[in-house]
């Protein structure tokens, strides 16, 4: 369609082209109007047909457009949904797995504290509580929440503070390793 | 006090390391009656301790080895002179106990993801800061029994962090980075540390390339930074950023002066002596000394070059450090594998 329009614009002096340009802009307006009036996939309003006998052939453009749009939309909807499902499953699973890992560590640490109140220092106990609060407040059911990335970073940092203090070599292995940088010898 | 023009005389050359020497640290409290004690760390994975004999000759008294399995990049003594922290490319920081005679490795701090670049003790000796190529600054608290607890892991820099340095008496930490910025960190008393100021090229007349080092003056109201942009910058650090801001008019640290054109390569190190002389060491193999210009102008301090020592070493100079017990004794460390001791002689006045 776009290719067709540009061909017409090649010779602006040509009166024939000028007519076509005028028709094109009218068609464009009509098409836009049809789009906003669309009530659902696959439904189109029939354009008004007036007495101009050339109208149907000029509107062939429009009809083809409508058919093509409908066809593409019908293809795209199910495949988009399927892809969305795959991505959501993957991202959701990853986030869930990582949080589950931290919750597991928290459960073990808190059990240790139940057995022996002084298993950890006051500072480490406080950090464990803070981590537990962070994990609890992660919006699992709201993946669109813009803050999820920040929250996950906070959780990861808090986890590292705790494991470093405990001298424990614990690390969540599931997520992709950070990109390798060239070693800088300075 | 001898007269004559200021000169930097090479007094001693300490050879022994098998690879480039990255950093130096003078013991701030070597003990009653003891002479100065200097630690140097190297790409040969060791730390060497240097002491002066009664006859004035320097020798290597200890080699701290078999602990790090990569380059030791930085070392720092605790304020009481009893602990030496060593930071390594092997991503760990070791802490050694020094009793005046022997060294013993008593702790290893792990946590950074990759090469640790710098380590610094807080003025009270209660906190230890490290920084790394992983862009993080870590703060640890010293506990009894050689235990260390991690207080905070501070993100903020967007690139490799080259050096961390505490203020001489406030619990304020400064970090400098490959991202060209200088960050100032303070705690709220409850283990929450935040970046309270960032000094950048755009907003603060900051550096336009990697910032390699930072050093405070004795009074803590001035700081010098040096950079790959071949300049040194002096900053007014009199504002106490460790206090929470009280509404309008909170002060911040600000740029005072830029020293340009003295080095033709990256300036890797700068150190402010207790005698108020700034020493710089650079990739042009030269050492420069600067002092404040006593012009008495109301516009603020300016600094002048006291002297430039070309070819101080055969290769890049990585570190310069003034001796705390003798403000005219300067140590320099180089890619050439040696440490040199220099005596500043003559009058600094024009």
């Amino acid at each position: 369609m776009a290719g067709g329009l540009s061909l017409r614009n090649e010779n602006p002096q040509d009166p024939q082209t000028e007519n076509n340009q005028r028709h094109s802009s009218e068609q464009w307006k009509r098409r836009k109007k049809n789009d906003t009036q669309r009530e659902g996939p696959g439904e189109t309003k029939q354009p008004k047909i007036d007495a101009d006998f050339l109208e149907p052939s000029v509107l062939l453009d429009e009809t083809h457009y409508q058919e093509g749009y409908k066809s593409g939309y019908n293809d795209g909807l199910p495949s988009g949904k399927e892809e969305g499902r795959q991505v959501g499953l993957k991202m959701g699973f990853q986030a869930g797995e990582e949080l589950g890992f931290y919750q597991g560590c928290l459960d073990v640490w808190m059990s240790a504290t139940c057995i022996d109140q002084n298993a950890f220092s006051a500072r480490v106990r406080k950090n464990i509580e803070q981590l537990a609060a962070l994990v609890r407040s992660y919006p699992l059911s709201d993946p669109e929440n813009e803050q999820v990335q920040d929250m996950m970073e906070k959780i990861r940092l808090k986890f590292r503070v705790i494991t470093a203090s405990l001298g424990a070599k614990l690390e969540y292995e599931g997520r992709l390793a950070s990109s390798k940088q060239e070693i800088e010898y300075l | 006090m001898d007269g004559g023009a200021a000169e930097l005389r090479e007094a001693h050359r300490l050879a022994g390391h098998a690879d480039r020497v990255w950093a130096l640290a003078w013991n701030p409290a070597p003990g009653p009656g003891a002479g100065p004690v200097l630690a140097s760390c190297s790409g040969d994975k060791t730390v060497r301790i240097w002491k002066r004999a009664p006859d004035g000759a320097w020798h290597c008294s200890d080699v701290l080895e078999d602990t790090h399995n990569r380059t030791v990049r930085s070392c720092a003594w605790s304020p009481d002179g009893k602990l030496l922290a060593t930071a390594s490319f092997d991503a760990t920081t070791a802490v050694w106990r020094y009793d005046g005679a022997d060294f013993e490795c008593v702790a290893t701090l792990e946590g950074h993801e990759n090469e640790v670049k710098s380590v610094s003790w807080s003025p009270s000796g209660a906190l230890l800061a490290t920084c790394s190529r992983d862009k993080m600054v870590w703060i640890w608290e010293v506990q009894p029994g050689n235990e260390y607890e991690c207080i905070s892991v501070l993100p903020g820099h967007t690139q490799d962090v080259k050096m961390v340095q505490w203020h001489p008496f406030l619990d304020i930490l400064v970090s400098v980075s490959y991202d060209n910025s200088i960050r100032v960190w303070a705690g709220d008393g409850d283990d929450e540390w935040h970046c309270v100021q960032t000094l950048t090229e755009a907003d603060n007349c900051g550096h336009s390339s990697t910032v390699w080092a930072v050093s405070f003056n004795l009074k803590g109201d001035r700081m010098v930074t040096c950079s790959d942009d071949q300049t040194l910058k002096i900053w007014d650090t009199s504002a106490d950023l460790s206090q929470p801001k009280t509404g309008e008019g909170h002060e911040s640290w600000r740029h005072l002066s830029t020293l340009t054109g003295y080095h033709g390569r990256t300036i890797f190190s700068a150190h402010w002596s207790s005698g108020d002389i700034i020493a710089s060491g650079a990739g042009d193999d030269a050492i420069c000394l600067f002092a404040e210009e006593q012009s008495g102008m109301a516009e603020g301090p300016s600094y002048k070059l006291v002297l430039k020592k070309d070819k101080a070493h055969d290769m890049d100079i990585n570190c310069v450090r003034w001796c705390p017990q003798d403000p005219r004794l300067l140590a320099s460390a180089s890619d050439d594998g040696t440490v040199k001791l220099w005596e500043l002689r003559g009058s600094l006045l024009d």
Side-chain angles (χ1 to χ4, degrees), chain B residues 18 39 63 71 77 93 96 105 111 141-142 155-157 168-169 182 189 195 223 247 250 265-266 272 299-300 320 344:
Chain B
V63 179
T71 292
W77 295 92
T93 304
W96 305 76
C105 181
E141 188 182 63
V142 185
H157 280 294
F169 48 85
I182 299 156
C195 178
M223 127 180 131
H250 65 260
R265 290 276 191 281
T266 303
W272 207 313
E299 273 157 33
V320 288
L344 175 60

Coordinates of all heavy atoms in Angstrom, one line a residue, chain B residues 18 39 63 71 77 93 96 105 111 141-142 155-157 168-169 182 189 195 223 247 250 265-266 272 299-300 320 344:
Chain B
A18 N 59.0 -9.4 42.6 CA 59.3 -10.1 41.3 C 58.4 -9.6 40.2 O 58.4 -10.1 39.0 CB 59.2 -11.6 41.4
A39 N 54.8 -1.2 54.1 CA 54.3 -2.4 53.4 C 54.1 -2.1 51.9 O 53.7 -1.0 51.6 CB 53.0 -2.8 54.0
V63 N 58.1 -11.3 54.2 CA 57.4 -11.5 53.0 C 56.1 -12.2 53.3 O 56.1 -13.3 53.8 CB 58.2 -12.3 51.9 CG1 57.4 -12.4 50.7 CG2 59.5 -11.6 51.7
T71 N 47.5 -11.3 42.1 CA 48.0 -9.9 42.4 C 47.5 -9.4 43.7 O 46.3 -9.5 43.9 CB 47.7 -8.9 41.3 OG1 48.4 -9.3 40.1 CG2 48.1 -7.5 41.7
W77 N 47.0 -0.3 56.7 CA 47.2 -0.6 58.1 C 46.0 0.0 58.9 O 45.5 1.1 58.6 CB 48.5 0.1 58.7 CG 49.7 -0.4 58.1 CD1 50.4 0.1 57.0 CD2 50.5 -1.5 58.6 NE1 51.6 -0.6 56.8 CE2 51.7 -1.6 57.8 CE3 50.4 -2.4 59.7 CZ2 52.7 -2.5 58.0 CZ3 51.4 -3.3 59.9 CH2 52.5 -3.4 59.0
T93 N 40.0 -10.2 50.6 CA 40.7 -9.3 51.3 C 41.2 -10.0 52.6 O 40.4 -10.6 53.3 CB 39.9 -8.1 51.8 OG1 39.3 -7.5 50.6 CG2 40.7 -7.0 52.5
W96 N 45.9 -9.3 58.4 CA 47.0 -9.9 59.1 C 47.2 -9.2 60.4 O 47.1 -7.9 60.5 CB 48.3 -9.7 58.3 CG 48.2 -10.2 56.9 CD1 47.6 -9.6 55.8 CD2 48.9 -11.4 56.3 NE1 47.7 -10.4 54.7 CE2 48.5 -11.5 55.0 CE3 49.7 -12.3 56.9 CZ2 49.0 -12.5 54.2 CZ3 50.2 -13.4 56.1 CH2 49.8 -13.4 54.7
C105 N 48.1 -14.3 59.3 CA 46.8 -14.0 58.6 C 45.7 -14.5 59.5 O 45.6 -15.7 59.8 CB 46.8 -14.8 57.3 SG 45.3 -14.4 56.4
G111 N 33.4 -11.9 49.2 CA 32.1 -11.4 48.9 C 32.1 -10.7 47.6 O 31.1 -10.8 46.8
E141 N 32.4 -4.5 59.5 CA 32.6 -4.1 60.9 C 33.5 -5.1 61.5 O 33.3 -6.3 61.4 CB 31.4 -3.9 61.7 CG 31.6 -3.3 63.0 CD 30.4 -3.2 63.9 OE1 29.8 -4.2 64.2 OE2 30.0 -2.0 64.2
V142 N 34.5 -4.6 62.2 CA 35.5 -5.5 62.9 C 34.8 -6.0 64.2 O 34.3 -5.2 65.0 CB 36.7 -4.7 63.3 CG1 37.8 -5.7 63.9 CG2 37.3 -4.0 62.1
P155 N 25.7 -0.4 45.9 CA 25.8 -0.2 44.5 C 25.8 1.3 44.2 O 25.4 2.1 45.1 CB 24.5 -0.8 44.0 CG 23.6 -0.7 45.2 CD 24.4 -0.6 46.4
G156 N 26.1 1.7 43.1 CA 26.0 3.1 42.7 C 26.9 3.5 41.6 O 26.5 4.0 40.5
H157 N 28.2 3.1 41.7 CA 29.1 3.3 40.6 C 28.7 2.4 39.4 O 28.1 1.3 39.6 CB 30.6 3.0 40.9 CG 31.2 4.1 41.7 ND1 31.5 5.3 41.2 CD2 31.7 4.1 43.0 CE1 32.1 6.1 42.1 NE2 32.2 5.4 43.2
P168 N 39.7 11.5 57.3 CA 40.6 11.3 58.5 C 40.0 11.2 59.8 O 40.6 10.6 60.7 CB 41.5 12.6 58.4 CG 40.9 13.5 57.4 CD 40.0 12.7 56.5
F169 N 38.8 11.8 60.1 CA 38.2 11.6 61.4 C 36.7 11.5 61.4 O 36.1 11.1 62.4 CB 38.6 12.7 62.4 CG 38.5 14.1 61.8 CD1 37.3 14.8 61.9 CD2 39.5 14.7 61.2 CE1 37.1 16.0 61.4 CE2 39.4 16.0 60.7 CZ 38.2 16.7 60.8
I182 N 33.2 10.7 41.5 CA 33.7 10.5 42.9 C 32.4 10.4 43.8 O 31.5 11.3 43.6 CB 34.5 11.7 43.4 CG1 35.7 11.9 42.5 CG2 34.9 11.6 44.8 CD1 36.2 13.3 42.4
G189 N 23.8 5.6 61.0 CA 23.9 5.1 62.4 C 23.2 3.8 62.6 O 23.4 3.2 63.7
C195 N 24.7 7.0 49.4 CA 25.6 7.9 48.7 C 25.0 9.3 48.9 O 23.9 9.6 48.5 CB 25.6 7.6 47.2 SG 26.6 8.8 46.3
M223 N 40.5 17.7 49.9 CA 40.8 16.4 49.3 C 41.3 16.6 47.9 O 40.9 17.5 47.2 CB 39.6 15.6 49.4 CG 39.1 14.9 48.2 SD 37.6 13.9 48.5 CE 36.6 14.5 47.2
G247 N 17.0 20.4 55.8 CA 16.2 21.3 55.0 C 17.1 22.1 54.1 O 18.0 21.6 53.5
H250 N 21.7 23.0 52.8 CA 22.7 22.0 53.2 C 23.9 22.2 52.3 O 23.8 22.4 51.1 CB 22.2 20.6 53.1 CG 21.8 20.2 51.7 ND1 20.6 20.2 51.2 CD2 22.6 19.7 50.7 CE1 20.6 19.7 50.0 NE2 21.8 19.4 49.7
R265 N 50.7 12.0 31.2 CA 50.1 10.7 31.2 C 49.1 10.6 32.4 O 49.0 11.5 33.2 CB 51.1 9.6 31.3 CG 52.0 9.4 30.1 CD 51.4 8.5 29.0 NE 52.4 8.1 28.0 CZ 52.8 8.9 27.0 NH1 52.3 10.2 27.0 NH2 53.6 8.5 26.2
T266 N 48.4 9.5 32.4 CA 47.5 9.2 33.5 C 48.2 9.4 34.8 O 49.3 8.9 35.0 CB 47.0 7.7 33.5 OG1 46.4 7.5 32.2 CG2 46.0 7.4 34.6
W272 N 48.5 13.5 50.2 CA 48.6 14.8 50.9 C 49.4 14.6 52.2 O 48.9 13.9 53.0 CB 47.2 15.3 51.1 CG 47.1 16.8 51.2 CD1 48.0 17.6 51.9 CD2 46.2 17.7 50.6 NE1 47.6 19.0 51.7 CE2 46.5 19.0 50.9 CE3 45.1 17.4 49.7 CZ2 45.8 20.1 50.5 CZ3 44.4 18.5 49.3 CH2 44.7 19.9 49.7
E299 N 40.0 35.0 46.7 CA 39.2 34.1 45.9 C 39.3 32.6 46.2 O 38.7 31.8 45.7 CB 39.7 34.2 44.4 CG 38.9 35.3 43.7 CD 39.7 35.8 42.5 OE1 40.4 35.0 41.9 OE2 39.6 37.0 42.2
G300 N 40.2 32.3 47.2 CA 40.3 30.9 47.5 C 41.7 30.4 47.2 O 42.5 31.1 46.5
V320 N 52.3 6.8 45.5 CA 53.2 7.6 46.2 C 52.6 7.8 47.6 O 51.4 8.0 47.8 CB 53.4 9.0 45.6 CG1 54.2 8.9 44.3 CG2 52.1 9.7 45.3
L344 N 62.7 14.9 50.8 CA 62.5 16.3 50.4 C 63.4 17.2 51.1 O 63.4 17.3 52.3 CB 61.0 16.7 50.6 CG 60.6 18.1 50.3 CD1 60.8 18.4 48.8 CD2 59.1 18.3 50.7

